[in-house]
Amino acid sequence: MWREEMSLCRNRRKDNWDLLRSLASINDSPWIVMGDFNDILNHREKRGGVAQPNWLVEGFRRAVWDSGLVDLGFQGCPFTWERGRESGLWVQERLNRMLGNGDWVARHKDARVVHLDSVVSDHFPIILHLYRVEGTRSSKRFRFENLWTNYGESEEVVRDSWNKEVGVSIQRRISNTSKSLLQWGREKTNGCVYNGRA
């Protein structure tokens, strides 16, 4: 197994891209590379803050293409890094990813990349499942996101869903309200609901 630390310095990005190309040129086996690339493949992979310069996005995309690699996709929140979550300066980006060459992808058709939650780091961990695991999905307990209170309409969502059905049990009202909040929260945060994610 080979491991190389990718430089996180913006002015060394071209060196990182050349490293990917070099690895591809000496490797004719199925292979993947994973980690924090500190780059995005398209502008949809960043929300908030200053837009990523086009030369950086295009440079990384070209390096991935030249290396014969493809993004393995993901399940979960579309972003793997954030800063300023509780402020008006919230920035989110998909910096951590897994890339594989065509041979690797063909041999691992059931492989899935999952973006996990993190409460101790600004980077969210990612995990690679090589085999599909059936029947392991568990229902998670609903937890209210404090971030939702920053949006004025959160009270309206609670009020409307609580009063949606008259004459039903309190459990039914709680269920209606939690489902409505989760759906509304996903729409507000572009799919990133950190607690109670379905």
Side-chain angles (χ1 to χ4, degrees), residues 142 144-151 154 181-182 184-185 193:
F142 171 79
F144 185 83
E145 290 281 350
N146 288 331
L147 175 67
W148 293 339
T149 61
N150 293 340
Y151 300 101
S154 64
L181 276 171
L182 284 173
W184 171 81
V193 175

Side-chain angles (χ1 to χ4, degrees), residues 111-179:
R112 299 290 177 263
V113 177
V114 179
H115 294 176
L116 303 175
D117 298 334
S118 176
V119 292
V120 296
S121 174
D122 57 354
H123 282 270
F124 302 153
I126 58 177
I127 189 168
L128 174 65
H129 294 284
L130 290 177
Y131 305 101
R132 186 171 302 214
V133 181
E134 301 294 337
T136 59
R137 185 177 174 136
S138 61
S139 62
K140 296 195 178 192
R141 188 172 60 172
F142 171 79
R143 288 189 254 168
F144 185 83
E145 290 281 350
N146 288 331
L147 175 67
W148 293 339
T149 61
N150 293 340
Y151 300 101
E153 61 264 35
S154 64
E155 278 187 51
E156 184 179 331
V157 171
V158 170
R159 186 174 35 257
D160 290 350
S161 57
W162 186 262
N163 296 321
K164 183 177 179 180
E165 296 179 87
V166 180
V168 297
S169 68
I170 194 162
Q171 290 88 353
R172 178 71 174 252
R173 286 181 175 218
I174 291 170
S175 175
N176 288 343
T177 303
S178 63
K179 287 176 185 173

Side-chain angles (χ1 to χ4, degrees), residues 52-106:
Q52 191 83 334
N54 284 332
W55 73 268
L56 284 175
V57 176
E58 287 300 320
F60 183 47
R61 188 181 302 143
R62 171 60 67 185
V64 170
W65 174 263
D66 291 347
S67 303
L69 298 170
V70 294
D71 188 281
L72 300 182
F74 64 90
Q75 294 173 343
C77 180
F79 306 106
T80 62
W81 175 86
E82 69 177 5
R83 178 182 63 216
R85 183 172 190 206
E86 299 289 330
S87 73
L89 304 174
W90 192 14
V91 178
Q92 298 171 290
E93 297 183 47
R94 183 177 176 220
L95 301 179
N96 304 352
R97 67 180 69 246
M98 294 190 188
L99 305 169
N101 71 355
D103 289 342
W104 192 92
V105 172

